[in-house]
Amino acid sequence: MALQGKVTEILDQLAVGPLLLIDNKWAGARDAATFNRLSPYDGSIVGTYADATQEDIVAAIQSARQAFDNGEWRRTSTRDRAGVLMRVATSIRANVDALTAMVIREVGQPGQRGMVLRAAETLDYYAHLITDRRDEMVGDQDPNAIGLIVKEPVGAVGVLTNWNSPMSLAHKGCPALAAGCSVVLKPSHLTPGTALVIGRFFLPAC
C-alpha cells in the first residue's frame, strides 16, 4: 500500500475498525462515539477511531485485573509467553510497510520504518530474556538455610504511549507481558492506530 494511504484503509486491510479491544473482544465505545485524527502535515483526515468513555476505561482495568487474578497468562510458562511475543514480532515484520505508512501519516514524520522494526526486535529481545532468565539462590547468609530470589509478576499494568513514538508500546508494554502481567494500553489520541494493529496481532498469537 502506498505510504500516502489513509490509516483507516490500512486498518481495514488489517481487519481493525474504529473499535476498542477489551477482554479479548472488539467493540465500539459505550456511547458509539468516534473521532478523526487529522494529519499534522495538511489537516486531512488520517483515520477514524473509537473514542473511549470513562466506563470503557473502567471495563478495561477490571478486565485486566480479572485476567491477572484468574487467567492463565501469569501461569503460562516462559517458553509459551516467549512464543507469543515472537509470533507478534513476526506479524510486525510481515506488515512493516502498512505499519510504517500508518506511523508516518499519524506522526507526520518520515523515516519510521526503523522504529517499526525496532519494536519487533524488542519483542524478540524480551522473549529471549525470559527464557534465559534464572532465579537467584543465596546460600552464604546462614549455614542452615538457603534463600531463593524469585521474580514474579506484580499485577495489571497501565501503559501510556507518547504521540511521537507510538511503537514505544513495545518497549513499555512488552516487559510487563513478558513477566506475566496483564496490560491496559492507552495510546495517545494523536497516534492510536498502531496500538489497534498490535492488538490485532496479539489475539491469534495467544
Side-chain angles (χ1 to χ4, degrees), residues 3 89 92-93 95-104 109-123 164-168 170-171 194:
L3 294 185
I92 290 174
R93 293 188 179 97
N95 293 276
V96 62
D97 290 338
L99 279 166
T100 299
M102 178 180 296
V103 176
I104 289 174
Q109 179 182 359
Q112 299 296 318
R113 186 182 181 89
M115 183 175 70
V116 172
L117 291 174
R118 280 193 297 275
E121 292 170 0
T122 299
L123 287 158
N164 60 340
S165 184
M167 293 302 290
S168 65
H171 306 283
T194 49

Side-chain angles (χ1 to χ4, degrees), residues 4-196:
Q4 65 268 24
K6 284 187 177 181
V7 170
T8 300
E9 296 170 356
I10 299 170
L11 290 171
D12 289 343
Q13 174 189 346
L14 297 171
V16 179
L19 304 171
L20 306 171
L21 180 57
I22 300 176
D23 195 22
N24 292 330
K25 302 179 185 70
W26 293 103
R30 295 294 177 94
D31 58 3
T34 61
F35 69 95
N36 292 326
R37 165 58 171 153
L38 302 182
S39 168
Y41 172 68
D42 59 9
S44 62
I45 296 177
V46 175
T48 301
Y49 304 105
D51 197 4
T53 64
Q54 182 174 343
E55 290 78 11
D56 291 314
I57 296 170
V58 171
I61 294 171
Q62 291 176 339
S63 173
R65 186 71 235 187
Q66 177 78 5
F68 181 77
D69 291 338
N70 303 313
E72 296 299 323
W73 184 250
R74 64 182 292 192
R75 300 172 181 85
T76 302
S77 70
T78 55
R79 183 178 300 276
D80 287 342
R81 291 203 300 270
V84 170
L85 299 179
M86 288 189 287
R87 285 192 288 275
V88 174
T90 297
S91 294
I92 290 174
R93 293 188 179 97
N95 293 276
V96 62
D97 290 338
L99 279 166
T100 299
M102 178 180 296
V103 176
I104 289 174
R105 289 286 292 163
E106 287 192 322
V107 175
Q109 179 182 359
Q112 299 296 318
R113 186 182 181 89
M115 183 175 70
V116 172
L117 291 174
R118 280 193 297 275
E121 292 170 0
T122 299
L123 287 158
D124 283 337
Y125 169 80
Y126 282 103
H128 292 296
L129 184 68
I130 59 174
T131 52
D132 294 337
R133 190 206 76 193
R134 298 292 182 269
D135 292 322
E136 300 175 53
M137 182 180 72
V138 179
D140 57 356
Q141 303 297 315
D142 187 321
N144 299 312
I146 293 177
L148 295 177
I149 300 174
V150 180
K151 300 176 177 65
E152 297 181 343
V154 297
V157 176
V159 174
L160 303 176
T161 58
N162 45 311
W163 73 270
N164 60 340
S165 184
M167 293 302 290
S168 65
L169 61 89
H171 306 283
K172 296 182 177 184
C174 187
L177 289 171
C181 298
S182 55
V183 169
V184 178
L185 172 63
K186 166 58 178 75
S188 167
H189 255 54
L190 299 178
T191 52
T194 49
L196 295 173

